[in-house]
Structure formats: C-alpha cells, structure tokens
Amino acid sequence: MNSRRALNRRTFLASSAAAAAVATGGLPMVAAPARAATGSGRAPALPDIDVRDAARTDPSEATLAEAAVLMRRGKLTAVELVQAHLERIESFDSTYQAYAEVTGDSALAAARKADRGEGPAGPLRGIPLCIKDNYFTAGVPTRCNSYVFEDFVPDADATAVARLKGAGGIVLGKGQMGPLATTRATRPNGTVTTVNAWTPDDPSVDPGGSSTGPACAVAARLAVSSIGTQTGGSIVLPSNQQNLTGLKPTMGRVSIHGVIPLSFTRDHAGPLARDAMDAALMLTVMAGPDAADPRTLGLPDVPDLVRAATPVRGRGGAVRMRRATRIGVPADFLSGSAKALRQAFLDRLDAIAGVTLVDVAYPADWSLLTGDFNAARLSERTEPFRHWLREDPAKFGVSLLSWLQGLMISGDEWITAQRAKTHLLREVLDTVMARCDVLLQTGPVPFDILGLPEIAFPVGFSAAGVPAGVILGGQPYEEDRLLEVAAAYQAVTDWHTRRPADPAAFKARTARASVRLSAEEAAAQSA
C-alpha cells in the first residue's frame, strides 16, 4: 500500500469515529450556516475543451465546461444561458415537475451582473444551477418537501450553496425531492411528482432516489448542473436512471452544514452533472474544510479533480488511464437483467490501456452486514425530529412509518450496528478492496454506510429506452481515481452526451395517471 493511501486510511478511520461522536453529541439541526466560501483552496482551472456543435446551437445542450468556454470566448452571455434554461422551465416543467421553487427574477439579475463583470468572478460565473430543496438558501423557501418545514425561509445559505455562489454560480431554483429526503419525489401525501426525464409520460418509471428533482432538471436541460444529497443512494441512483454523472464524495469532503439532515453519519453532499469534467468542477468548488462542520476538518487536501477528469491520450490519440488502475469486479456484477449492458461496459473498459479487471469476492457475512444492520440508520433520522413526532405526527405524511420505525430501535441495537459497521469497514478495505483500486458495485448501500466515495456514470440504455449506468466505489479521499476511470470511459463512448426528447406541451397531452406511494411502499423505498 502506498504512503498516501495508508495516510488516507488512518485519517478516514479517525474521522469515521469522530462522525459517530458528533452525531451523539447532537449538532443543532437548524442553525444559521456560516458563509464559509473558501472551499478547497484550489481554484479549478477551466479546461480549454472542444465544444460540440449541439452546444453551440443550443445553450441548454452545453455541459458546464462547454458553457464556460463559450462565455470565455465571447460566444455566449450569462443572460442568454440563464434565459435558455428559464424558457425550458416555462415550457416543460409542468410535465417534469423538477422544481419546487423557481427563482427566475433573481437568476436573471445575477446573470446581468455577471455579464457586466460584477459580482463573483469564479470558475462557475454565469452557470445556472438547481439546488436540492434540503439545502438552506437565503431568502428562498427550504421546505424539504415536507409539512415540517413548509414555512421555513432560511436567512443564510448552506456552506455548499455559498461556495457555489461565491464561485459565480447562479441559482435557478430549488429541486423537488422526496419528503424529508426519504423516497423519490412525491407530495407529502405520497402522490408522485417529479418523473424520469426520459419517460415523462410514465411516472411509474423509477427516476432514482430523493434527489429526483435536481437529476431531472439537469437531464431535461432545465439547469446546467445541480447538487443533491445522498444517504442511501440519492446521488448515484438518480444519475444512473437519468443518464448523468453523479459523484458522492468521501464523508467530510463536502460540508453538510445548512443541510436538513437525514443521518448525521451517512449524509453526503455532491454534484449531479452531465459528465466527469462537470462533476469535477462542481466538487472542487464545494469541497474543503468548514469550521461549521467538524467532519470536514483535518482531512487530506482535495486532489486536482479537474486534471483527473481530463482524458489522457497516448501515441496515435488512443485513450489511456492516467494511472494504472485495478478495477474490482464482484461476482454478482454480471447478474440480473443488465448483464448484457454490463458485459459490454466491461469489454470497452478493459480495452483502455492501463485498466486491469480483477475478480473480487464478498465475505460470507456480506448480506448481513449490509442488510439487517442497515436499519440502524432509522434511529439517526428520528432523533432530531422527536419534537415534531410528539407535536404532530401527521406532518410526516406518507413517510411517517419509516420515522416511527426509528423509535423502535434500542440503544444496544444501535451500538451493535456500529460494531457491525466497524467490521464491515475492515472487510471492505482489507479484504474486498485489497487487490483493487476501485470497485464496481451493484448498489450504493455498503459505501453509504461507510462514507466511502462513489461515482455513477451512464453505460447505455435498456430495451425500454431507459438509461443504465454503473456505480464505482473508491478508497477514502480518492475521488480523483474515480474521476480518472469515468473520464477515460467517457472519452471512448458517447452515452453521456445523449439527451431525452422534449415532452409534448402539457396542455395538449392527455392527463397522465397519478401514481401514489402507500405508507408501506414509502417505508420500503426509504433511504
């Protein structure tokens, strides 16, 4: 094991123990966030990339990096970029229902300032973003799609939002989400709202986890990029379902101060983007220490993520890995209905110079460690909400059952689960990943439990035309290694450049049948 990885592991183990202590110490749930806009201390240098013809013709087609290049070259203004997305929101969001709140007037005002050379001059200058509705946004409602926070208007931004705005990002609005971040986006009574951008006529198609709105906004070209949160897969799963690149960083890499919590030891903040480069730019701005969130302090420096997301080409232009990388492939990766797509993905990946595919095996107690003991998360969500549970349980709507389940977990059960988590961490780092640098996964739960980084990116489409993707897990604080793999794969494929067709005008459509989750379904799908 190299010295950097050994140091990262020691830091991660200490940080994981500290996170549990912070949770039991009772961080205030709704505090005015500090405006810690310094971020990682690394100002990402925008790459001078080639801009696709589609992005030159239609600004809403552009990736973040493409839009920045066009603005830098004087081929696009911030007002034009923001207006293009607001026009699409006006035309199509009655169908998609991606936004809980649209802040069009303030977004245009910020764009005009950017075009005049006023305001923040960072790498995201003029870029319109969608913010999940559990992030504090100063002067803009933060409802977390719940009755609990239906009248809440913060007086300060969450740290991550402050950093994005400090880098020049423009908030278009708040993305719809699952009630209190538990399920896919529904109304608090369980009626499904946000759809998968690729199947707007069929709300029964899974759009991913609770970051449904931010994912749909980017996929449907209603925002250039977005940020979500993940506790049980809600960055990587919506990304896989909607043809995006989602990056869940290592626990503590991004401050969650000013984010309405679901689990203090498992909540992560990260970007849902169009490709690896956009995810790298967003995370570089968001990441870094924040005095208001002790989980972010004393960690290794944020690596050069933009460099990691820049494909490397050898002689003759062939793509190769920046570093030789061993990619672990568990036995169950090629099981199920996605077997053919995943095999094609492995074949394409294996053809990239510097990639070595390695078979890995799970320990015998894997399903127990990642299944039964995962229920411990329920008590963490219940604890800060006891006041509302006592005052008016109806405020929890369709997700009430999963909140009540948290009350049924005893202290000794929670401690047993923490012991199981420690055992799982040892199994993952010392056994499952002992022979590989990154690990392909069939679900996000193990790395969510542990707080390890993950990236999701598209690898094709199902026979029904729904996007399919993979999830790649990494070693502690090695987001750069994940980006290197995703960038190399995206340099030899074009799945990430594909966009869904626009829906027909809502008023000309037959009203789609409403889908409503029952309390039992909401509990079963709960993050």
Side-chain angles (χ1 to χ4, degrees):
M1 185 187 304
N2 62 45
S3 58
R4 176 196 171 192
R5 182 166 291 169
L7 177 60
N8 284 356
R9 285 194 179 191
R10 288 197 296 273
T11 304
F12 182 75
L13 290 170
S15 179
S16 295
V22 166
T24 56
L27 278 177
M29 185 180 64
V30 181
R35 288 190 59 84
T38 55
S40 65
R42 181 190 298 277
L46 289 170
D48 193 22
I49 63 169
D50 293 330
V51 178
R52 297 168 300 124
D53 288 341
R56 296 177 188 276
T57 303
D58 181 354
S60 74
E61 278 277 355
T63 65
L64 189 162
E66 287 175 327
V69 167
L70 288 173
M71 286 191 284
R72 184 171 60 195
R73 294 176 181 172
K75 304 295 185 182
L76 178 66
T77 68
V79 168
E80 290 170 339
L81 184 61
V82 168
Q83 189 63 58
H85 288 85
L86 288 176
E87 288 174 358
R88 289 189 58 80
I89 292 171
E90 176 68 24
S91 297
F92 302 119
D93 199 44
S94 57
T95 297
Y96 293 123
Q97 300 184 63
Y99 280 91
E101 188 88 18
V102 178
T103 54
D105 290 344
S106 61
L108 282 172
R112 294 186 190 103
K113 285 185 177 180
D115 287 337
R116 293 197 299 265
E118 302 172 4
L124 303 186
R125 188 170 193 165
I127 300 296
L129 307 172
C130 175
I131 309 297
K132 188 175 180 178
D133 199 28
N134 57 347
Y135 287 83
F136 285 22
T137 42
V140 178
T142 298
R143 302 184 180 95
C144 206
N145 193 20
S146 73
Y147 299 129
V148 175
F149 296 102
E150 59 186 341
D151 299 318
F152 179 50
V153 180
D155 57 7
D157 289 323
T159 298
V161 175
R163 288 177 176 173
L164 292 170
K165 291 167 70 173
I170 295 175
V171 175
L172 277 184
K174 306 297 290 291
Q176 191 58 278
M177 57 181 286
L180 293 170
T182 51
T183 65
R184 66 176 290 185
T186 72
R187 294 190 179 92
N189 69 1
T191 301
V192 165
T193 53
T194 314
V195 295
N196 188 316
W198 291 82
T199 59
D201 289 325
D202 187 357
S204 69
V205 175
D206 185 9
S210 70
S211 302
T212 312
C216 182
V218 179
R221 295 184 286 135
L222 311 181
V224 172
S225 194
S226 68
I227 57 172
T229 56
Q230 176 161 324
T231 304
S234 293
I235 290 175
V236 296
L237 293 179
S239 296
N240 276 177
Q241 290 294 113
Q242 302 200 52
N243 213 53
L244 303 177
T245 300
L247 181 53
K248 187 209 82 167
T250 311
M251 169 64 72
R253 184 63 94 187
V254 175
S255 173
I256 57 169
H257 190 63
V259 177
I260 296 172
L262 187 58
S263 166
F264 280 115
T265 64
R266 302 190 191 187
D267 287 349
H268 301 74
L272 296 97
R274 288 182 176 157
D275 60 16
M277 178 57 71
D278 285 10
L281 289 165
M282 292 283 287
L283 184 57
T284 300
V285 170
M286 297 169 69
D290 173 17
D293 184 349
R295 288 158 287 204
T296 68
L297 304 179
L299 306 185
D301 291 340
V302 179
D304 190 338
L305 302 178
V306 173
R307 180 175 183 269
T310 303
V312 177
R313 298 184 182 274
R315 292 181 180 179
V319 173
R320 62 176 176 82
M321 290 300 302
R322 185 170 295 278
R323 292 174 286 179
T325 300
R326 300 165 300 165
I327 301 176
V329 184
D332 65 346
F333 184 72
L334 291 177
S335 62
S337 60
K339 179 179 179 180
L341 276 173
R342 289 181 173 178
Q343 185 61 65
F345 159 72
L346 289 178
D347 293 343
R348 198 65 185 267
L349 196 63
D350 195 32
I352 298 173
V355 167
T356 301
L357 300 182
V358 179
D359 291 333
V360 298
Y362 293 137
D365 54 0
W366 185 256
S367 60
L368 176 65
L369 293 172
T370 62
D372 291 2
F373 288 118
N374 190 35
R377 75 197 191 283
L378 299 175
S379 59
E380 291 188 27
R381 77 173 55 165
T382 299
E383 183 272 330
F385 285 88
R386 283 179 180 270
H387 166 73
W388 286 280
L389 284 167
R390 286 193 298 263
E391 180 184 76
D392 185 2
K395 285 182 176 292
F396 292 83
V398 72
S399 63
L400 175 62
L401 181 58
S402 66
W403 294 87
L404 293 177
Q405 287 174 330
L407 294 172
M408 309 304 169
I409 297 174
S410 64
D412 63 314
E413 287 177 308
W414 189 84
I415 291 172
T416 300
Q418 301 316 302
R419 292 174 58 199
K421 175 180 175 179
T422 301
H423 180 59
L424 176 63
L425 180 59
R426 183 170 62 248
E427 293 280 19
V428 168
L429 294 182
D430 295 339
T431 303
V432 178
M433 298 192 73
R435 298 175 54 238
C436 62
D437 301 300
V438 295
L439 176 70
L440 286 164
Q441 301 175 80
T442 54
V445 168
F447 277 40
D448 281 340
I449 293 174
L450 300 177
L452 293 169
E454 297 174 307
I455 194 168
F457 52 94
V459 300
F461 292 83
S462 71
V466 178
V470 297
I471 303 170
L472 197 64
Q475 305 274 355
Y477 312 113
E478 293 190 20
E479 294 86 4
D480 54 340
R481 181 81 76 164
L482 297 176
L483 285 163
E484 288 173 13
V485 176
Y489 178 77
Q490 290 180 347
V492 298
T493 59
D494 69 351
W495 304 117
H496 59 288
T497 68
R498 304 191 187 188
R499 311 282 187 257
D502 293 339
F506 186 77
K507 62 183 180 182
R509 292 154 44 89
T510 302
R512 68 184 186 212
S514 81
V515 175
R516 183 170 176 174
L517 299 183
S518 66
E520 292 76 16
E521 289 171 327
Q525 296 178 21
S526 182

